[in-house]
Amino acid sequence: GGGGGGPAALHHSACFHDGSHAAPVTALALLAAEACGAQTSLCASAAADQSVVLVDMLSRTRLAALLSPAAAPVCALSLSLVPPHAPAAPPEAPHEPSVLLCLGASDGAVEAWSLCAGREAGMRASWRHSQRSPLLALALSADGSRLVAVAESEAAGG
């Protein structure tokens, strides 16, 4: 039965973007947040061919598609909604909310991309982990001003 004291029912919907990648998917990131009074629900996916696709899960539309110049496959993704006037706001659109997309590759490369409504996706920065180890996970702070990258350790193993 549906008693009043149990946990709230979870609501979900599937969002498929078949055909978005020609190669196997290697990483996913989700972002659900509120921006300027509107709900945002985004999914980023990366594939072994360095293609990255950003989809609006509410409208089920592709917002951006880009090709990473990284030499190795993307293996970690992170998304952050950047509010207007935040330190991570893109210089070409400082008064609008934007999305910061960070990619991590299996050779330790990291890229930060800005995505703004009505504008071409642009790479903001790129660098490489000193050990050139595969990146396992990326996490962005709420305002997009800090990034934590977790890389495979050379000391680990057996």
Side-chain angles (χ1 to χ4, degrees):
L10 295 177
H11 298 283
H12 64 86
S13 65
C15 180
F16 298 99
H17 49 281
D18 293 339
S20 291
H21 298 286
V25 172
T26 56
L28 286 172
L30 300 173
L31 173 66
E34 188 174 317
C36 299
Q39 186 63 30
T40 301
S41 187
L42 305 174
C43 176
S45 59
D49 62 0
Q50 288 86 3
S51 64
V52 179
V53 174
L54 184 67
V55 173
D56 180 326
M57 293 176 55
L58 298 176
S59 67
R60 297 179 182 204
T61 58
R62 182 187 293 202
L63 299 177
L66 55 99
L67 188 61
S68 167
V74 174
C75 55
L77 291 171
S78 186
L79 288 166
S80 181
L81 185 62
V82 180
H85 308 291
E92 65 275 8
H95 308 294
E96 302 172 23
S98 61
V99 173
L100 187 62
L101 169 65
C102 290
L103 321 174
S106 61
D107 65 354
V110 178
E111 299 169 11
W113 292 77
S114 279
L115 303 152
C116 302
R119 299 182 192 279
E120 191 85 17
M123 190 186 309
R124 300 271 305 277
S126 65
W127 62 96
R128 186 172 312 280
H129 184 271
S130 61
Q131 299 294 318
R132 297 185 180 261
S133 301
L135 293 170
L136 303 174
L138 298 172
L140 283 160
S141 63
D143 66 355
S145 65
R146 301 215 190 292
L147 173 72
V148 175
V150 178
E152 193 172 283
S153 172
E154 297 260 336

